Amino acid sequence: MPNYRIHKTEYIDETKRVSFKYDGKTYFGYEGDTLASALLANGIHLVGRSFKYHRPRGIVSCGAEEPNAICQIGSKKDLTEPNVRATELELYEGLEASSQNCWPNVKFDIGGINNFISPLIPAGFYYKTFMWPKSFWKKVYEPLIRLSAGLGKSPTEPDPDIYDHKHVHYDVLVIGGGVSGIISAKMAAKNNLKTLLIDDKKILGGSTIYQNNESIKIDDKLSSEWLKNEIQEIKKLSNLTIKTRTSIAAYHGYNFLLAKENLTDHLPEEKKKNKIRQRLWKIRAKKVVIATGSIERPLVFNNNDRPGILLSNSINKYLDYYGVTCGENIILFTNNDSAYETSISLHKKGIKNIIVDLRKSASSELIKQAENLGIKIYFNHVVTNTFGYRKINSLEIMKLSEDGNTTVGNKIRLSCDCLGMSGGWTPMVHMHTQSGGKLDFRDEDQVFLPKENSEDQISVGSCNGDFDLENIIDKTVNKINKFLDIDNQDYQDTNIICSKENDKRNIWLLPNKIPLGKTKCFIDFQNDSTAKDIKLALKEGFRSIEHVKRYTTTGMATDQGKLSNMHALGIIADTAGVKMGTLGTTTFRPPFTPLTFGTLVGRNVGKFFEVVRKTSMHEWHVENNAEFENVGQWKRPWYYPKNSENMHDAVQRESKAARDSAGILDASTLGKIDIQGTDASEFLNRVYTNAWSKLAIGKCRYGLMLNEDGMVYDDGVTTRISENHYLMTTTTGGAANVLSKLEDYLQTEWPELDVYLTSVTDHYSTASICGPNSKKILNKLFPNLDLSDENFPHMSFKEDKLENINCRIMRISFTGELSYEINIESKYGHSLWKMCIESGKEFNLTPYGTETMHLLRAEKGFIIVGQDTDGTMTPSDLQMDWIVSKKKYDFIGKRSLYRSDTIREDRKQLVGLLTDDPKEILEEGAQIVSDVKSKPIDMLGHVTSSYFSPNLNKSIALAVVRSGKTMKGQKLIIPMENKNINVTVSDTIFLDKENKRLNA
Amino acid sequence: MFLINCPFCGDRDQSEFSSGGEAHIVRPKQPTELSDDEWAEYLFMRKNIKGIQFERWNHVHGCRKWFNVVRDTSNDKILSVYKMGEKPPVNYK
Ligand SMILES: [Zn+2]
């Protein structure tokens, strides 16, 4: 096996050999490697196939910007993860990775045929071709695209890993642990500011940490040695927290940032177990220092995508950090000085290399150094083509014309096994723009730079366009002193010597003798878009960068165009003949690198997904076989099946028992608001449609609450407990909103009212006993309480003790039966319930759930707000005009009840429906029409509630129907999928219109 | 995610609050005297400003108090907070 690891470095532990599998084959690397460096050490460049043409592709970079080396990790159904960048994945024992998007395998790829028919796949190809014929879409095009387009596989089973969230507050957050980040963090922390420094790599130091060029020195030391000292220094600072393997996912307003910390992704399987995998940090920082650095640009020339073609600086990092050379005969193609550092480094390790430089000439310390070492440099030359199928084996260069628009002279063919390219550097302005910052364009080296405009964030270092070390350190120190309003002198006497770049020449699309249409000049490696695609889009009339991007899909892959966006912009600007800065950029959206869903949801999975509210009787319901229904966050018993009963059977039995003898309901979830104050009566007058002033102490009243627009908002019974004390009940789901609404009016419209509201929903448990035998059961529970109709009539309230415990008992009814609600402090709720059940045994007291409750109230035509209403129903629409006070001058919503729209006669109004076939049960939500033959069919309304009533032995329903009030007795039709159901409009009250049962 | 300075509790995360729309819309004292148009003006018409906006917020998962906020909708910066019943700061208009 070839070995490209050519020297030792301090970052690779050669005593710790690590075995891993790539595409099923076992290889070895060392602790400290990334998957990419380990592959390169094994001589593997080819890691995938391109998205559209299935061209062989190799590792391009050494970081987050990697477009090609995208892997599927693991093969377990619950743990496999797609789209992992091999350049960021730390190697661990037992790692299993495979290349993506290359069925059946990376070396022989059936989709590779696309490469030969590529003239047929221009920009917008998918949009244009697969439009026609329509019938081909489902059977031919879609399966074809899906088969060849997949980027990895999602896990198919729930993620077993543990994720965590953490909220933190800091004075200063520094993003990025390179030179400028380290200096910033040190200055902040030494000035007593609580500081957090984060970096996405395993160790701090950025690209300076492996810098070893003699021409770049700080205080007479190699810059890397100097920086290591600085890192030792800052580790001692007590108010500085350093988090490595942590990357910012999003920068939101108000300096609220999300960061992802990787805790176990670098550990072997057995060490990952029972540990938190990733932690999402929710950071609030008073000030943020952005020191995210810059990434190297590729160059755009024909066949610039072959395996073995990497970014020049990545070659340098693989060499000096990982000890791995990317080739033995390397060519570096550049338009700036940074490739010379790579070249000198390679030369020192004995790797043969030559430089092809776009610039006509250049002079700087680095260039002098390279020339002195005898490194061959072709100035004013351009790479025009490359060769080699699975890996580059040679290339062609030509001389550039004076204006750089064409090539001149003869082709020179050079052999090589690796090509490094450097098209300059792009500052990582993502964080700045995500925070709302704007950009400026610097023509000199064609970069977008942060425009300083806010007081709470700043960019320093190369993300701010400062590229040489002297510039970086001096400017960082000055800016941080100003930004934090401090006077730090630590770097006053720091002596920096570095090479200065003097010459620049940028050409976005390099010239070629071959017509563009016959070249493959890739811009976006991951989405396979080329310079030709961009030009075609412009030719077809696209102008906006956002449109060109979408049409060509440039910058839309998982790498979000980190390497491609600038070139796309440059080519558009050149072609359209406009200045680049005027085009703007595409939007930099979070996350910077992909996040797992697990990190985002943290611990809020399974039973922690949502808060679950249970009543104090809950355990009894569970023990007694209740099925539960979610009502808001509450778990409410839905029905209590016995033996093999289904829901229908259980509900029929429960509702029959409630009417024939006695039933009991856990009503604890109803919202309860305690209202006190000298103006409590006046307050109720203003919030309910009916009058409250005359309600006697100890009496209860049903109230309807409207929105200011006149639509029914909530309902419930309110009890006057004493002169200035009421207890209001609301619907279960509406409790929180009603309280908010009432507080709103009290605090903002009627601050003069002396009223205090307290939510007591959780403080009381409620057992509601109904049915003809309910009085007998109450008598057993409260033997001293006079239950006679004279002393304790319907809609009244008594207090009594159950043993020693106070109970509030209301005689109110939602079922139409004689009915009592017993309220007790929640801690006694379970005991109360058991005592009720015990006392009711001889009367067949039957527990019933929400479904039976709904049926019983529907028999009586009582509405459920939110089921029979939907925010468009007035009291009059509900045929409840009786509850709207004519005398009251004002209440919430009153004025809206006689707006031109609310008094329309043909509004949808609540009616009863009886099916012609009494056994036919309507579907809730079903549409109602009068004529099925007209086209389009005129929709009159819909069914809101529907049940089979065992007490009436027929199907009943409530519905809202246009002009329904006037339609009693009229025949209507419910058209269903396979039949039409005939119904007759009826009264909304189906049972006991005279309310005899209330006093039975 | 805003950091909102509740006048009663101090700086708190936006997730503790709910927004209540435009501030300083006074409920008419005598709604019955109003024409449909006048009532609709109160009921439905709200400004949608790019720039300085006065709005109501409720510290619903905190002290439950309603208060007013001056916010620049063009950059989401909260410029001032003040209690219900207080006049908006004069330097914004
Ligand atoms: Zn508060």
Side-chain angles (χ1 to χ4, degrees):
Chain A
M1 207 168 270
N3 186 6
Y4 288 84
R5 180 118 30 205
I6 58 166
H7 71 109
K8 287 189 192 314
T9 81
E10 62 193 283
Y11 306 109
I12 297 296
D13 188 347
E14 295 210 7
T15 63
K16 289 181 182 147
R17 218 162 84 121
V18 173
S19 79
F20 67 100
K21 269 188 179 168
Y22 184 70
D23 279 341
K25 216 174 144 192
T26 301
Y27 300 92
F28 296 95
Y30 296 107
E31 204 171 290
D33 265 324
T34 59
L35 175 58
S37 69
L39 287 172
L40 289 169
N42 284 283
I44 296 167
H45 280 259
L46 176 61
V47 287
R49 291 279 172 165
S50 75
F51 184 63
K52 207 153 83 182
Y53 308 120
H54 284 247
R55 284 166 70 101
R57 287 283 165 79
I59 296 163
V60 168
S61 74
C62 57
E65 68 269 35
E66 176 61 35
N68 290 344
I70 307 294
C71 307
Q72 183 89 30
I73 305 301
S75 53
K76 287 185 187 161
K77 281 179 180 169
D78 53 353
L79 279 171
T80 185
E81 187 176 354
N83 299 336
V84 176
R85 290 158 302 283
T87 50
E88 292 193 301
L89 180 69
E90 292 178 38
L91 200 67
Y92 55 83
E93 180 65 37
L95 167 69
E96 273 182 51
S98 51
S99 49
Q100 272 178 211
N101 200 30
C102 51
W103 180 86
N105 72 51
V106 74
K107 288 185 183 154
F108 173 83
D109 189 326
I110 208 150
I113 199 157
N114 282 1
N115 194 17
F116 300 104
I117 59 158
S118 66
L120 304 173
I121 317 183
F125 170 74
Y126 289 98
Y127 302 121
K128 290 169 184 162
T129 312
F130 294 137
M131 298 278 288
W132 185 90
K134 206 174 160 192
S135 60
F136 268 42
W137 179 253
K138 249 198 150 131
K139 289 202 169 113
V140 183
Y141 298 144
E142 195 182 334
L144 199 77
I145 292 171
R146 286 194 187 282
L147 191 73
S148 58
L151 267 179
K153 287 184 190 72
S154 307
T156 52
E157 283 175 14
D159 187 346
D161 282 325
I162 307 166
Y163 299 86
D164 201 20
H165 285 184
K166 184 170 181 169
H167 295 257
V168 292
H169 294 256
Y170 283 92
D171 292 324
V172 180
L173 165 67
V174 181
I175 311 169
V179 176
S180 52
I182 286 167
I183 291 172
S184 305
K186 180 172 159 188
M187 290 173 71
K190 283 186 81 171
N191 208 66
N192 281 327
L193 295 165
K194 193 183 163 204
T195 306
L196 174 64
L197 170 64
I198 67 162
D199 192 87
D200 59 346
K201 300 284 189 306
K202 182 179 147 187
I203 60 161
L204 295 178
S207 58
T208 307
I209 201 74
Y210 56 90
Q211 212 289 329
N212 64 2
N213 192 289
E214 297 287 340
S215 71
I216 304 166
K217 288 205 159 170
I218 306 176
D219 290 344
D220 268 347
K221 289 182 201 138
L222 283 176
S223 55
S224 49
E225 294 306 320
W226 179 85
L227 190 61
K228 281 173 205 163
N229 261 330
E230 286 290 297
I231 294 170
Q232 288 315 315
E233 289 278 307
I234 62 166
K235 282 184 177 165
K236 295 177 200 151
L237 297 172
S238 60
N239 52 351
L240 173 65
T241 307
I242 300 171
K243 279 284 155 195
T244 50
R245 295 187 175 116
T246 305
S247 54
I248 294 291
Y251 190 151
H252 296 293
Y254 286 71
N255 277 356
F256 178 69
L257 296 96
L258 299 177
K260 177 193 74 173
E261 181 186 13
N262 262 331
L263 294 158
T264 64
D265 280 358
H266 60 288
L267 298 176
E269 199 83 7
E270 71 276 4
K271 287 193 181 159
K272 289 185 210 270
K273 271 191 191 129
N274 300 321
K275 287 193 184 130
I276 293 162
R277 182 189 170 199
Q278 290 174 354
R279 177 174 288 136
L280 188 70
W281 288 60
K282 300 181 175 183
I283 307 167
R284 289 265 186 198
K286 291 198 183 108
K287 297 205 172 224
V288 175
V289 178
I290 302 168
T292 46
S294 52
I295 51 179
E296 199 169 24
R297 292 174 186 168
L299 287 160
V300 181
F301 53 93
N302 190 23
N303 290 314
N304 58 345
D305 68 326
R306 295 190 195 283
I309 304 180
L310 293 88
L311 294 169
S312 154
N313 188 257
S314 298
I315 294 175
N316 197 359
K317 181 164 185 183
Y318 286 119
L319 183 71
D320 287 338
Y321 186 96
Y322 299 102
V324 174
T325 182
C326 294
E328 288 161 326
N329 178 18
I330 297 177
I331 297 172
L332 298 166
F333 179 28
T334 185
N335 68 359
N336 67 89
D337 281 7
S338 65
Y340 288 77
E341 269 185 65
T342 308
S343 168
I344 293 159
S345 231
L346 287 165
H347 185 88
K348 278 199 273 182
K349 308 287 177 333
I351 305 293
K352 196 179 132 196
N353 73 91
I354 58 174
I355 296 175
V356 178
D357 196 325
L358 277 183
R359 297 174 294 181
K360 286 169 189 164
S361 67
S363 63
S364 70
E365 272 309 307
L366 276 171
I367 289 161
K368 219 183 287 169
Q369 219 185 335
E371 280 169 340
N372 289 343
L373 290 170
I375 295 165
K376 169 82 182 157
I377 306 169
Y378 290 91
F379 278 115
N380 199 28
H381 273 72
V382 59
V383 175
T384 52
N385 207 351
T386 69
F387 306 93
Y389 184 59
R390 280 180 201 151
K391 195 177 176 199
I392 186 168
N393 58 29
S394 61
L395 52 76
E396 258 170 25
I397 63 171
M398 284 180 84
K399 211 170 180 169
L400 272 167
S401 65
E402 185 61 25
D403 59 8
N405 288 338
T406 54
T407 53
V408 292
N410 296 326
K411 292 175 195 165
I412 307 169
R413 184 125 176 184
L414 302 168
S415 68
C416 64
D417 62 355
C418 173
L419 171 64
M421 49 184 175
S422 179
W425 294 81
T426 299
M428 288 286 91
V429 294
H430 294 64
M431 290 297 124
H432 172 78
T433 54
Q434 276 186 28
S435 82
K438 299 276 180 287
L439 299 173
D440 273 334
F441 190 72
R442 185 165 75 193
D443 279 319
E444 174 193 306
D445 52 355
Q446 311 264 296
V447 291
F448 283 102
L449 297 176
K451 200 188 233 173
E452 274 173 50
N453 61 346
S454 85
E455 67 290 349
D456 55 11
Q457 62 99 330
I458 198 172
S459 294
V460 294
S462 66
C463 72
N464 191 44
D466 304 327
F467 292 119
D468 72 62
L469 206 52
E470 188 181 355
N471 223 341
I472 287 173
I473 296 177
D474 286 352
K475 279 181 138 184
T476 300
V477 171
N478 284 334
K479 286 180 90 173
I480 294 296
N481 268 331
K482 218 173 127 199
F483 179 59
L484 300 179
D485 195 18
I486 58 176
D487 186 23
N488 181 292
Q489 301 286 333
D490 285 1
Y491 301 96
Q492 190 83 335
D493 304 319
T494 305
N495 180 29
I496 309 150
I497 301 164
C498 66
S499 175
K500 294 273 181 188
E501 185 171 280
N502 297 310
D503 309 274
K504 301 188 188 299
R505 188 183 201 183
N506 191 60
I507 303 170
W508 290 115
L509 173 57
L510 295 166
N512 206 311
K513 281 275 182 297
I514 310 166
L516 185 67
K518 297 217 161 96
T519 65
K520 279 274 171 18
C521 305
F522 285 94
I523 292 176
D524 184 326
F525 294 107
Q526 200 172 113
N527 263 356
D528 254 6
S529 66
T530 64
K532 180 175 64 186
D533 294 329
I534 303 267
K535 294 243 182 187
L536 181 66
L538 291 167
K539 210 169 158 188
E540 291 184 4
F542 292 93
R543 284 294 172 269
S544 149
I545 170 67
E546 296 286 358
H547 290 157
V548 172
K549 168 179 159 172
R550 280 161 182 78
Y551 190 57
T552 61
T553 71
T554 304
M556 292 179 69
T558 61
D559 61 346
Q560 291 185 73
K562 290 185 182 74
L563 294 181
S564 61
N565 282 339
M566 287 303 290
H567 300 80
L569 273 172
I571 291 168
I572 293 169
D574 286 351
T575 311
V578 296
K579 284 197 82 176
M580 190 157 162
T582 61
L583 277 176
T585 62
T586 57
T587 315
F588 298 98
R589 290 198 177 83
F592 181 67
T593 49
L595 274 176
T596 59
F597 284 109
T599 315
L600 290 174
V601 292
R603 305 265 174 160
N604 300 329
V605 289
K607 62 179 174 175
F608 300 121
F609 179 69
E610 166 79 298
V611 173
V612 173
R613 297 174 81 183
K614 296 173 184 169
T615 73
S616 52
M617 292 91 156
H618 186 83
E619 288 314 310
W620 190 93
H621 305 319
V622 173
E623 284 160 19
N624 286 272
N625 205 29
E627 292 289 332
F628 289 90
E629 178 181 33
N630 295 327
V631 183
Q633 292 167 332
W634 286 104
K635 292 271 173 212
R636 295 199 71 180
W638 193 9
Y639 57 97
Y640 299 80
K642 273 190 175 171
N643 307 321
S644 58
E645 274 180 341
N646 60 20
M647 177 161 127
H648 178 82
D649 296 341
V651 169
Q652 297 291 304
R653 172 180 52 73
E654 290 170 14
S655 46
K656 194 119 182 45
R659 293 240 186 265
D660 291 349
S661 178
I664 182 168
L665 173 82
D666 181 355
S668 309
T669 63
L670 282 186
K672 294 179 272 292
I673 300 171
D674 186 272
I675 304 175
Q676 300 193 39
T678 51
D679 293 316
S681 305
E682 171 60 16
F683 179 65
L684 289 173
N685 263 334
R686 296 186 191 186
V687 301
Y688 279 129
T689 61
N690 45 350
W692 290 77
S693 323
K694 285 181 188 145
L695 184 70
I697 293 168
K699 295 288 180 197
C700 314
R701 183 163 289 170
Y702 173 78
L704 205 55
M705 199 182 288
L706 308 184
N707 259 332
E708 205 66 271
D709 62 6
M711 303 303 156
V712 171
Y713 184 70
D714 203 79
D715 68 345
V717 170
T718 297
T719 303
R720 188 168 197 174
I721 289 172
S722 67
E723 177 66 25
N724 296 323
H725 186 188
Y726 290 84
L727 182 68
M728 173 189 276
T729 59
T730 72
T731 57
T732 297
N737 292 336
V738 169
L739 181 68
S740 278
K741 181 186 159 88
L742 297 184
E743 280 286 2
D744 187 355
Y745 276 92
L746 264 184
Q747 290 179 31
T748 68
E749 300 294 350
W750 309 319
E752 71 281 5
L753 293 185
D754 173 41
V755 176
Y756 301 90
L757 306 176
T758 311
S759 168
V760 292
T761 304
D762 294 290
H763 304 61
Y764 291 98
S765 289
T766 309
S768 173
I769 300 176
C770 76
N773 285 321
S774 55
K775 196 179 275 185
K776 291 175 196 153
I777 297 167
L778 258 283
N779 190 43
K780 282 177 75 180
L781 289 162
F782 302 98
N784 300 324
L785 185 62
D786 178 359
L787 291 168
S788 68
D789 287 350
E790 297 72 43
N791 183 59
F792 197 177
H794 182 56
M795 297 306 269
S796 63
F797 153 79
K798 296 285 173 203
E799 280 182 292
D800 197 5
K801 285 191 190 300
L802 189 63
E803 293 180 355
N804 285 322
I805 312 304
N806 279 328
C807 291
R808 286 171 170 171
I809 307 156
M810 282 84 165
R811 184 172 162 190
I812 52 179
S813 176
F814 191 43
T815 58
E817 294 299 317
L818 172 66
S819 177
Y820 299 89
E821 279 188 16
I822 310 165
N823 292 275
I824 196 164
E825 261 185 79
S826 280
K827 58 181 165 185
Y828 305 114
H830 192 239
S831 310
L832 166 70
W833 183 268
K834 283 201 291 195
M835 288 168 81
C836 292
I837 296 286
E838 196 53 42
S839 304
K841 258 188 184 151
E842 60 180 293
F843 304 104
N844 185 31
L845 177 65
T846 301
Y848 67 92
T850 50
E851 193 62 24
T852 293
M853 174 186 82
H854 287 177
L855 192 165
L856 295 174
R857 65 85 207 180
E859 289 175 340
K860 285 291 294 174
F862 294 146
I863 59 156
I864 289 184
V865 173
Q867 176 159 345
D868 302 299
T869 73
D870 61 359
T872 66
M873 303 294 285
T874 66
S876 180
D877 295 339
L878 295 168
Q879 306 217 38
M880 289 172 77
D881 304 76
W882 54 270
I883 202 171
V884 180
S885 164
K886 301 274 184 303
K887 288 187 198 143
K888 280 202 292 183
Y889 181 70
D890 193 14
F891 55 81
I892 298 170
K894 178 176 168 105
R895 175 60 186 84
S896 292
L897 295 180
Y898 52 94
R899 290 177 54 237
S900 57
D901 187 60
T902 41
I903 54 172
R904 271 190 302 115
E905 301 270 301
D906 62 344
R907 292 178 60 83
K908 283 185 183 171
Q909 291 147 356
L910 190 76
V911 296
L913 292 181
L914 291 171
T915 47
D916 288 4
D917 171 3
K919 293 265 175 287
E920 183 82 66
I921 306 170
L922 297 175
E923 263 185 43
E924 288 174 358
Q927 294 293 316
I928 303 166
V929 305
S930 59
D931 176 9
V932 284
K933 291 191 190 83
S934 69
K935 271 191 186 165
I937 298 183
D938 193 16
M939 304 292 190
L940 299 180
H942 63 275
V943 178
T944 60
S945 297
S946 169
Y947 309 90
F948 186 81
S949 162
N951 302 299
L952 299 161
N953 198 27
K954 65 180 178 192
S955 155
I956 58 167
L958 295 172
V960 292
V961 177
R962 200 195 304 153
S963 305
K965 278 188 203 173
T966 61
M967 294 174 80
K968 207 152 140 191
Q970 209 163 309
K971 295 270 181 201
L972 292 172
I973 301 162
I974 316 276
M976 299 304 289
E977 206 172 2
N978 43 20
K979 64 180 169 188
N980 293 325
I981 302 169
N982 297 313
V983 297
T984 307
V985 178
S986 75
D987 206 23
T988 54
I989 306 171
F990 301 97
L991 181 106
D992 185 29
K993 281 195 181 99
E994 307 77 24
N995 288 331
K996 282 184 190 152
R997 305 180 69 97
L998 283 175
N999 297 309
Chain B
M1 185 93 81
F2 299 171
L3 194 64
I4 301 175
N5 182 19
C6 169
F8 305 93
C9 308
D11 281 336
R12 292 289 188 279
D13 196 280
Q14 185 186 345
S15 59
E16 293 184 15
F17 297 84
S18 70
S19 161
E22 192 180 332
H24 303 298
I25 295 174
V26 181
R27 188 176 189 272
K29 284 275 173 279
Q30 298 174 313
T32 45
E33 319 272 295
L34 302 181
S35 68
D36 269 11
D37 283 349
E38 287 166 333
W39 180 246
E41 184 68 30
Y42 159 73
L43 198 55
F44 301 121
M45 296 308 179
R46 296 294 181 269
K47 290 181 194 135
N48 184 14
I49 295 166
K50 181 179 179 185
I52 290 175
Q53 180 162 292
F54 299 84
E55 46 194 35
R56 297 159 5 109
W57 285 79
N58 182 11
H59 195 185
V60 64
H61 299 296
C63 64
R64 266 171 47 197
K65 281 284 194 183
W66 283 88
F67 57 94
N68 297 305
V69 164
V70 187
R71 182 170 64 102
D72 186 339
T73 60
S74 68
N75 60 14
D76 269 349
K77 294 279 175 258
I78 290 176
L79 306 169
S80 180
V81 296
Y82 54 103
K83 292 176 185 172
M84 278 297 157
E86 289 179 359
K87 290 227 155 53
V90 282
N91 38 330
Y92 307 110
K93 199 65 206 168

